[in-house]
Amino acid sequence: MSYAIGVDIGGTKVQFAVIDREGNITNRHRVPTEANKGPEQLMNKVLLGIDMMMESIDQEEEIQGIGIGSAGQIDYREGTVRYAGDTLPDWTGTAIKEMIARRYNTSVYVDNDVNVIAIAEKMYGVGKDCDHFVCLALGTGIGGAVMEAGRLIRGVFGGAAELGHVSIDINGPRCSCGNNGCVELYASGSGIARLGLEMQRNGSASYAWRPNARDIIQAWHQHDPSATQVMRIVIRALGSAIAGYIHTFNPEAVVVGGGVAQSGPRFLQALDQEVNARTSSYMRGCCRLIPANFGSDAGVIGAAAQVWHYGESSCSQYMI
Amino acid sequence: MSYAIGVDIGGTKVQFAVIDREGNITNRHRVPTEANKGPEQLMNKVLLGIDMMMESIDQEEEIQGIGIGSAGQIDYREGTVRYAGDTLPDWTGTAIKEMIARRYNTSVYVDNDVNVIAIAEKMYGVGKDCDHFVCLALGTGIGGAVMEAGRLIRGVFGGAAELGHVSIDINGPRCSCGNNGCVELYASGSGIARLGLEMQRNGSASYAWRPNARDIIQAWHQHDPSATQVMRIVIRALGSAIAGYIHTFNPEAVVVGGGVAQSGPRFLQALDQEVNARTSSYMRGCCRLIPANFGSDAGVIGAAAQVWHYGESSCSQYMI
């Protein structure tokens, strides 16, 4: 048998898994990130976790490689953290690939958390019979990844597919990127909370609790009028942005995942209708809107799947 | 010597050229399109023009291939016209590649008019030392083409990079695609005319003539207050859209061409400022906003350049 080890480094937890060529998880482990303890402690946790996964395999030579997915902006060529921000303070600059490659005699791949989700989808999800798709991760922010002709689009330094920073309202609020009305300000967890709070401050909210995305979505399912109004704005904004992605990438599928999308089929159904109304029929006709396939395992499966995706291709990671 | 023949099929004229490997035009010709006479007449014009270019070369074996750029949606794999609309009525369905390949014993490439402009830039312009760039053609509408890692992004049926259909204002006017506030409604020739007319209808225009893009741009250069107001909206909208393209593609350059952009450096300078304010500095730092290199020859040079671009690559057109 052949196995790959995956590590998913997020702001709250680090997940480890061993997967086989078919993407089945044969062993798994998780630890809290405790990012506040600093990057060395975190790197030690990563190495210890990999050790544990290694030991779970009978014969070390069955390990075909190690793949890492990390929050932050990752230089996938060097396998370093270009910028990590508040999610993982001081993680910026960490030479993840080098430190892992120094310890283990196998191939090591490092990429950001959304690109590896797209790789999971390519290997075991929508991408099994589809070479062109867009992945959206609706979490605290909005992350994006795009497969075009079976390759991740990268841009000049790997910064491509920042799909949360596409504006849908030039008269909307200012975004940290400098633009106004980026879709992340509406359809991410923090965006939904912002809209909920705004409504409360205007005195027009039907809820008295301090709004957060989870509670607003739950209230929406219970037909709370203010939550319904908030979610109407969210779905309209995201629908308009997705229509733009479809005209931009002419994909076969837009895969929607992340916490915001995981509240049941109603969200995707409403979004589907909105996208439908906002997209040329000739583009929309060949494009499905679908939920992400692997839920909270997407990151760790995708991290490991890099080993098969790049290892079995005729091209290197830099080409794909 | 080796030569390639290029044909640029537009709504008002058909341009022909012979280019050498360095992209120099060694012979050229143009005829009016007269689209109203129907697709057979037009195809005859195309074949006659190619004949004329062929005859201008001493030895036919020096012709390495024929490249066509056509208005409309082109199926680049089949070399057929998927949809042409009002610009070229009844051109839809024309099997351009087949008809040309039947007559001449050489390679034939067919693509849409904006993709071939990007190929001209790749071979002889910005792309000589840059593999990631976005091309915008600001004409009657807005056309787009994207080079990512030296390849045109295509999408599933070649419909990708419809960059005019990215919304910048969800509360803006309805677009033909179904969305609201697509950037084409502001920063294209027809968009500028629309804004100018709207201002006139509101009774707030300083001009009495029926507004069109050319006159509004000229009035803007002469500091007409209403034209200045219109162009402020245009530049703001386009700046916001380009900021989105930069976050989406992480390109090294955004190349801006087409009639609207050709009124002198003031337009690009103002646009540059706007884009700067609306883009994350880490993305913007490596991306230049530059004018297109080949003016009204871009289409015919790019059409011909397909022969070198695909013919000398190890990949086929379908791969690139």
Side-chain angles (χ1 to χ4, degrees):
Chain A
M1 289 290 284
S2 285
Y3 298 99
I5 292 174
V7 186
D8 177 22
I9 306 171
T12 55
K13 62 182 184 289
V14 183
Q15 294 196 76
F16 302 87
V18 177
I19 71 167
D20 63 20
R21 252 172 218 273
E22 282 66 50
N24 304 302
I25 294 180
T26 61
N27 194 14
R28 65 194 308 160
H29 179 56
R30 74 155 68 174
V31 294
T33 306
E34 299 176 306
N36 58 320
K37 292 190 178 170
E40 280 170 40
Q41 290 262 9
L42 177 51
M43 199 66 214
N44 275 338
K45 284 189 187 205
V46 168
L47 295 173
L48 282 175
I50 295 174
D51 280 354
M52 191 183 288
M53 293 298 106
M54 282 280 184
E55 283 160 18
S56 74
I57 307 293
D58 285 343
Q59 295 180 304
E60 207 170 294
E61 59 272 23
E62 290 180 334
I63 296 289
Q64 298 297 305
I66 300 167
I68 315 289
S70 173
Q73 289 166 29
I74 305 300
D75 183 328
Y76 67 99
R77 289 195 184 90
E78 300 290 330
T80 57
V81 182
R82 188 186 293 277
Y83 179 72
D86 295 342
T87 317
L88 296 171
D90 301 324
W91 193 233
T92 302
T94 308
I96 303 178
K97 181 173 177 172
E98 189 193 323
M99 287 197 246
I100 295 173
R102 205 187 295 149
R103 187 171 176 122
Y104 309 100
N105 182 29
T106 188
S107 311
V108 180
Y109 304 88
V110 184
D111 210 332
N112 75 56
D113 44 1
V114 192
N115 278 346
V116 304
I117 291 175
I119 291 172
E121 290 287 347
K122 180 79 200 87
M123 294 291 292
Y124 309 117
V126 62
K128 279 193 291 188
D129 51 15
C130 152
D131 270 345
H132 303 82
F133 61 91
V134 174
C135 281
L136 292 175
L138 310 177
T140 310
I142 293 185
V146 180
M147 279 282 172
E148 151 69 23
R151 297 158 182 257
L152 282 170
I153 72 157
R154 297 287 194 179
V156 57
F157 64 71
E162 285 268 17
L163 301 182
H165 291 290
V166 166
S167 166
I168 54 97
D169 185 0
I170 197 165
N171 301 308
R174 189 85 169 185
C175 180
S176 61
C177 70
N179 210 345
N180 297 86
C182 287
V183 64
E184 179 164 291
L185 297 174
Y186 304 85
S188 65
S190 60
I192 294 172
R194 182 188 71 79
L195 290 167
L197 201 61
E198 198 176 78
M199 186 163 285
Q200 208 166 44
R201 283 188 181 143
N202 292 342
S204 60
S206 47
Y207 42 79
W209 32 269
R210 185 179 165 79
N212 65 66
R214 184 190 304 256
D215 292 345
I216 288 174
I217 292 171
Q218 202 185 330
W220 173 58
H221 283 302
Q222 292 157 1
H223 305 287
D224 173 274
S226 294
T228 299
Q229 226 174 311
V230 167
M231 291 307 288
R232 177 80 199 102
I233 298 171
V234 169
I235 285 161
R236 200 162 161 258
L238 187 56
S240 178
I242 290 176
Y245 308 147
I246 293 175
H247 285 109
T248 299
F249 293 112
N250 182 209
E252 290 162 90
V254 177
V255 183
V256 187
V260 170
Q262 281 165 3
S263 69
R266 188 176 165 211
F267 181 78
L268 215 68
Q269 279 161 11
L271 188 59
D272 197 54
Q273 257 185 334
E274 190 73 34
V275 171
N276 224 10
R278 296 184 176 276
T279 313
S280 304
S281 57
Y282 68 95
M283 284 282 197
R284 185 66 173 103
C286 65
C287 180
R288 293 168 295 152
L289 199 69
I290 53 175
N293 276 291
F294 304 105
S296 57
D297 285 338
V300 77
I301 292 174
Q306 294 178 91
V307 173
W308 313 130
H309 182 64
Y310 297 115
E312 293 176 352
S313 155
S314 58
C315 301
S316 75
Q317 186 182 19
Y318 317 124
M319 294 295 298
I320 293 176
Chain B
M1 289 290 284
S2 286
Y3 298 99
I5 292 175
V7 185
D8 177 21
I9 305 171
T12 56
K13 60 181 184 290
V14 184
Q15 295 196 75
F16 302 87
V18 177
I19 72 167
D20 63 18
R21 252 172 218 275
E22 282 66 49
N24 304 304
I25 294 180
T26 62
N27 194 15
R28 65 194 307 159
H29 179 57
R30 74 154 69 172
V31 294
T33 307
E34 299 176 307
N36 57 319
K37 293 190 179 170
E40 281 170 39
Q41 290 263 8
L42 177 51
M43 199 66 213
N44 276 337
K45 282 189 188 204
V46 168
L47 295 173
L48 282 174
I50 296 174
D51 281 353
M52 192 183 286
M53 293 298 105
M54 282 279 184
E55 284 160 17
S56 74
I57 307 294
D58 286 343
Q59 296 180 304
E60 208 171 290
E61 60 273 22
E62 291 179 334
I63 297 288
Q64 298 296 306
I66 300 168
I68 315 289
S70 172
Q73 290 165 27
I74 305 300
D75 183 326
Y76 67 99
R77 290 195 183 90
E78 301 289 329
T80 57
V81 182
R82 187 186 294 276
Y83 179 72
D86 295 342
T87 317
L88 296 172
D90 300 323
W91 193 232
T92 302
T94 307
I96 304 178
K97 182 173 176 172
E98 188 192 323
M99 287 198 246
I100 294 173
R102 205 187 295 151
R103 187 171 174 122
Y104 308 101
N105 182 28
T106 187
S107 312
V108 180
Y109 304 89
V110 184
D111 210 333
N112 77 54
D113 44 0
V114 192
N115 278 347
V116 303
I117 291 175
I119 290 172
E121 291 287 348
K122 180 80 201 87
M123 294 291 293
Y124 309 116
V126 62
K128 280 193 291 188
D129 51 17
C130 151
D131 270 347
H132 303 82
F133 60 91
V134 174
C135 280
L136 292 176
L138 309 178
T140 310
I142 293 184
V146 180
M147 279 281 172
E148 151 69 21
R151 297 159 184 254
L152 282 171
I153 72 158
R154 297 287 193 180
V156 57
F157 65 71
E162 285 268 17
L163 301 182
H165 291 290
V166 166
S167 167
I168 54 99
D169 184 1
I170 198 166
N171 301 309
R174 190 85 169 184
C175 180
S176 61
C177 70
N179 210 344
N180 296 85
C182 287
V183 64
E184 180 164 289
L185 297 174
Y186 302 86
S188 66
S190 60
I192 294 172
R194 181 187 71 81
L195 290 166
L197 200 63
E198 198 176 79
M199 187 162 284
Q200 207 167 44
R201 284 186 181 144
N202 293 342
S204 60
S206 49
Y207 43 78
W209 31 270
R210 185 179 165 78
N212 65 66
R214 184 190 303 258
D215 293 345
I216 287 174
I217 291 171
Q218 202 185 329
W220 173 57
H221 284 301
Q222 292 159 1
H223 305 287
D224 173 274
S226 293
T228 299
Q229 227 174 311
V230 167
M231 291 307 288
R232 177 79 199 102
I233 298 171
V234 169
I235 286 161
R236 198 162 162 259
L238 188 57
S240 178
I242 290 176
Y245 308 147
I246 293 175
H247 285 108
T248 300
F249 294 111
N250 182 209
E252 291 162 89
V254 177
V255 183
V256 186
V260 170
Q262 281 166 4
S263 69
R266 189 177 165 210
F267 181 78
L268 215 68
Q269 279 161 12
L271 188 60
D272 198 53
Q273 256 184 338
E274 190 74 34
V275 172
N276 224 10
R278 295 184 176 276
T279 313
S280 303
S281 56
Y282 69 94
M283 283 282 196
R284 185 67 173 102
C286 65
C287 180
R288 293 167 295 151
L289 199 69
I290 54 174
N293 275 291
F294 304 104
S296 56
D297 286 338
V300 76
I301 292 175
Q306 294 178 90
V307 174
W308 312 131
H309 182 63
Y310 297 115
E312 293 177 353
S313 156
S314 59
C315 301
S316 76
Q317 186 183 18
Y318 317 124
M319 293 296 298
I320 293 176

